[in-house]
């Protein structure tokens, strides 16, 4: 059964959607960016419905300032209290024994940073966000991967010879690739890695192989990951959605 619930976070009211099921392990879905709890292409709503049919209760919610919830949207780095309140509400509403958190993009990073404090037992993180950049270009790792792919294609060499390439865009991309990377001790990537190291045994990382966000994360991470052969950041294609569901179910069944 699906129902809408509301709960408090500080002085604000958060709204969530609970798909009830008899299982004692529940999945808390945290939305990324300013995405509402239904998810891109209704992906999270459909995922919750399918998991509930398998006996897994699922809670999705809008953090403060997003969707139906009140308050100010301070971004994912301020979402620790929202995640904690949602986790506590989920346990109180369902009586589950074990709570698993799932998030994509910056929601994955938020779960890694704040999930332990929220009492979440296991994490499933898709395409964690580590990008800190001032321009509109893709991350350097994604540009390098794209250029490597193009160099293997004879058609791209013919385009270059004919002058059909946007040289201004090419120059900007090359400049970013060769730009010296400055290590910052408290960078988002370093903070994320420290959080992951503390929870290595109870964290599953899922990546869309050709997604720019996932490519940027892989450049900074040498731990185990599961790769989906797709360029869809939100696992929108039917085969991607099926892969994502299978990975989540497998993670939920792990001790």
């Amino acid at each position: 059964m699906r129902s809408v619930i509301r709960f408090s976070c500080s002085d604000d009211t958060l709204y969530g959607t609970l798909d009830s099921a008899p299982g004692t392990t529940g999945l808390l879905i945290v939305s990324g960016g300013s995405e509402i709890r239904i998810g891109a292409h209704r992906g999270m709503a459909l995922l919750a419905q399918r998991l509930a049919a398998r006996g897994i209760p699922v809670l999705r919610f809008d953090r403060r300032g997003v969707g139906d919830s009140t308050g100010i949207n301070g971004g994912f780095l301020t979402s620790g209290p929202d995640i904690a309140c949602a986790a506590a509400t989920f346990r109180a509403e369902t009586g589950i024994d074990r709570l698993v958190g799932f998030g994509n993009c910056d929601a994955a990073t938020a779960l890694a940073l704040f999930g332990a404090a929220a009492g979440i037992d296991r994490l499933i993180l898709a395409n964690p966000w580590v990008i800190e950049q001032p321009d509109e270009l893709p991350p350097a790792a994604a540009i390098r991967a794209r250029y490597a792919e193009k160099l293997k294609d004879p058609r791209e060499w013919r385009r270059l010879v004919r002058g059909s390439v946007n040289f201004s865009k090419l120059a900007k991309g090359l400049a970013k690739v060769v730009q010296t990377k400055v290590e910052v001790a408290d960078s988002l990537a370093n903070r994320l890695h420290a959080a992951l190291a503390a929870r290595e045994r109870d964290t599953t990382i899922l990546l869309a192989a050709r997604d720019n966000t996932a490519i940027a994360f892989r450049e900074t991470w040498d731990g185990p990951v599961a790769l989906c052969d797709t360029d869809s950041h939100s696992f929108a294609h039917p085969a991607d959605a099926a892969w994502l569901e299978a990975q989540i179910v497998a993670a939920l069944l792990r001790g």
Side-chain angles (χ1 to χ4, degrees):
M1 183 179 69
R2 174 168 288 178
S3 59
V4 174
I5 63 173
R6 62 180 181 179
F7 52 96
S8 297
C9 180
S10 298
D11 295 326
D12 294 305
T13 301
L14 273 55
Y15 283 80
T17 301
L18 176 64
D19 284 81
S20 299
T24 57
T25 294
L27 183 71
L28 176 67
I29 297 179
V30 178
S31 298
S34 296
E35 186 175 273
I36 60 175
R37 62 188 184 272
I38 196 171
H41 316 287
R42 297 184 64 240
M44 294 303 100
L46 293 172
L47 174 63
Q49 183 180 45
R50 292 193 296 268
L51 291 175
R54 291 174 176 263
I56 302 163
V58 182
L59 176 65
R60 300 170 281 122
F61 70 100
D62 295 333
R63 72 165 185 255
R64 285 172 293 178
V66 174
D68 296 322
S69 297
T70 66
I72 297 172
N73 179 6
F76 74 98
L77 289 175
T78 70
S79 64
D82 308 63
I83 294 171
C85 290
T89 299
F90 195 8
R91 289 186 184 275
E93 289 282 333
T94 61
I96 53 174
D97 298 326
R98 184 167 168 266
L99 179 56
V100 178
F102 167 69
N104 188 24
C105 196
D106 62 31
T109 302
L111 274 169
L113 296 176
F114 310 126
I120 296 175
D121 301 300
R122 185 174 184 85
L123 303 176
I124 306 172
L125 311 179
N127 305 319
W129 179 264
V130 295
I131 302 169
E132 295 177 290
Q133 60 185 45
D135 58 56
E136 75 286 355
L137 293 173
I143 295 174
R144 282 194 293 273
R146 181 60 176 157
Y147 285 170
E149 182 181 337
K150 283 178 174 291
L151 288 172
K152 300 174 185 176
D153 188 348
R155 291 173 299 180
E156 294 298 329
W157 288 99
R158 290 195 290 271
R159 288 183 67 237
L160 184 63
V161 171
R162 291 197 303 265
S164 303
V165 173
N166 185 329
F167 285 98
S168 174
K169 185 176 179 181
L170 175 62
K172 289 179 181 178
L174 289 173
K176 182 158 188 175
V177 167
V178 301
Q179 191 176 46
T180 302
K181 185 176 179 180
V182 179
E183 281 293 332
V184 179
D186 64 344
S187 69
L188 181 59
N190 285 343
R191 291 172 60 192
L192 175 60
H193 293 169
L196 291 175
R199 304 201 61 171
E200 185 175 0
R201 291 187 177 182
D202 55 23
T203 299
T204 299
I205 298 177
L206 311 176
L207 300 180
R210 298 187 303 281
D211 168 62
N212 287 345
T213 301
I215 291 170
F217 173 76
R218 286 189 75 188
E219 187 177 59
T220 71
W221 178 251
D222 58 4
V225 300
L227 286 174
C228 180
D229 184 20
T230 184
D231 59 0
S232 175
H233 180 71
S234 58
F235 304 93
H237 308 308
D240 303 342
W243 179 89
L244 178 64
E245 181 180 348
Q247 294 292 324
I248 289 175
V249 170
L252 287 165
L253 292 176
R254 293 188 192 116

